[in-house]
């Protein structure tokens, strides 16, 4: 069966520091991968998606970037965090119509 | 631009009551999915509806896809505290945006014991 991992689970970072969040999927090949951000109690904001290695589509131009160095690895990065980057970050992979989400990373920028 | 709207935004009910939440769009969707998310966790897929007019039941949850495939509803019978969470509807983008998934803003449900 397929599983999706995200780490770290929680992160507290100062403004201006770099960021790297990692997502890996097991049990499937060439998945579509997605990064979302979620404000407390609200819907999902699509940040990036990827249909293959090295292929990244950006939905929200800002100080975040994404990379897909391997088929089942998706990384979200920033060179300098802003206070507004705080939130709950979710990685997901897609099978046909449905998406399957990781456990998320709670990021607090102080 | 494809958008999904959900109503109500918030809902607080007593255990045992029935409720319905809605997901609407001005665009046609090839399918719609419903997810439930509990605090601090990722959303979990509940159901996919594909055919206009389709009704699917999952225990006390009944999902309906509108005939024109522009709307969907989720009805919960005899709500329980375990039903508490954020309910999200979603659907695939169309044409060149097929790889994107469009999410609604969600309905936050609180079931009070």
């Amino acid at each position: 069966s397929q599983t999706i991992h995200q780490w770290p689970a929680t992160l507290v970072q100062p403004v201006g520091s770099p960021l790297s969040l990692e997502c890996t999927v097991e049990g499937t090949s060439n998945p579509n991968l997605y990064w979302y951000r979620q404000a407390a109690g609200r819907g999902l904001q699509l940040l990036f998606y990827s249909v293959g290695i090295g292929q990244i589509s950006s939905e929200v131009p800002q100080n975040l970037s994404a990379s897909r160095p391997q088929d089942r690895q998706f990384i979200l990065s920033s060179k300098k965090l802003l206070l507004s980057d705080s939130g709950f970050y979710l990685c997901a992979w897609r099978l046909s119509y449905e998406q399957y989400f990781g456990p998320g990373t709670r990021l607090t920028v102080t | 631009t494809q958008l999904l709207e959900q109503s109500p935004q918030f809902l607080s009910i007593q255990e045992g009551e029935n409720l319905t939440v809605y997901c609407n769009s001005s665009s046609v969707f090839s399918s719609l999915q419903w997810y439930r998310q509990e605090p601090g966790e990722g959303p979990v897929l509940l159901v996919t509806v594909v055919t206009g007019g389709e009704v699917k039941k999952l225990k006390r949850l009944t999902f309906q896809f509108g005939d024109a495939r522009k709307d969907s509803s989720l009805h919960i019978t005899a709500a329980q505290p375990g039903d508490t969470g954020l309910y999200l509807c979603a659907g695939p983008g169309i044409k060149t945006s097929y790889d994107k998934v469009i999410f609604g803003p969600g309905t936050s449900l609180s079931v009070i014991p």
Side-chain angles (χ1 to χ4, degrees), chain B residues 15-100:
Chain B
E15 182 176 359
E17 293 183 352
N18 301 331
L19 67 114
T20 302
V21 298
Y22 301 91
C23 174
N24 297 284
S25 176
S26 59
S27 305
V28 174
F29 280 84
S30 59
S31 70
L32 281 179
Q33 290 74 49
W34 284 93
Y35 296 82
R36 178 170 65 213
Q37 183 181 23
E38 299 187 16
E41 299 181 6
V44 175
L45 178 70
L46 296 174
V47 78
T48 292
V49 286
V50 179
T51 306
E54 181 177 7
V55 176
K56 281 192 173 180
K57 292 190 175 183
L58 185 65
K59 297 184 179 179
R60 295 176 292 102
L61 279 59
T62 301
F63 304 85
Q64 185 162 7
F65 200 13
D67 291 340
R69 291 184 290 138
K70 292 184 177 181
D71 58 271
S72 181
S73 64
L74 160 58
H75 181 79
I76 300 179
T77 303
Q80 298 178 359
D83 296 325
T84 293
L86 181 68
Y87 288 82
L88 297 158
C89 66
I94 57 172
K95 298 180 181 177
T96 57
S97 299
Y98 179 73
D99 292 313
K100 286 200 277 188

Side-chain angles (χ1 to χ4, degrees), chain A residues 34-95:
Chain A
Y34 301 79
W35 277 113
Y36 293 90
R37 181 169 59 201
Q38 186 177 33
R42 299 308 295 143
L44 305 178
Q45 179 189 29
L46 178 62
L47 301 175
F48 301 95
Y49 67 96
S50 171
V51 299
I53 296 174
Q55 301 179 63
I56 307 295
S57 296
S58 173
E59 289 298 300
V60 185
Q62 51 194 6
N63 68 318
L64 298 174
S65 62
S67 62
R68 185 169 177 175
Q70 300 180 41
D71 181 43
R72 289 169 284 181
Q73 184 184 31
F74 204 22
I75 297 172
L76 182 69
S77 304
S78 174
K79 292 182 179 179
K80 289 186 178 182
L81 283 169
L82 306 173
L83 285 174
S84 58
D85 291 324
S86 292
F88 191 47
Y89 287 80
L90 288 158
C91 179
W93 70 279
R94 179 177 172 179
L95 176 66

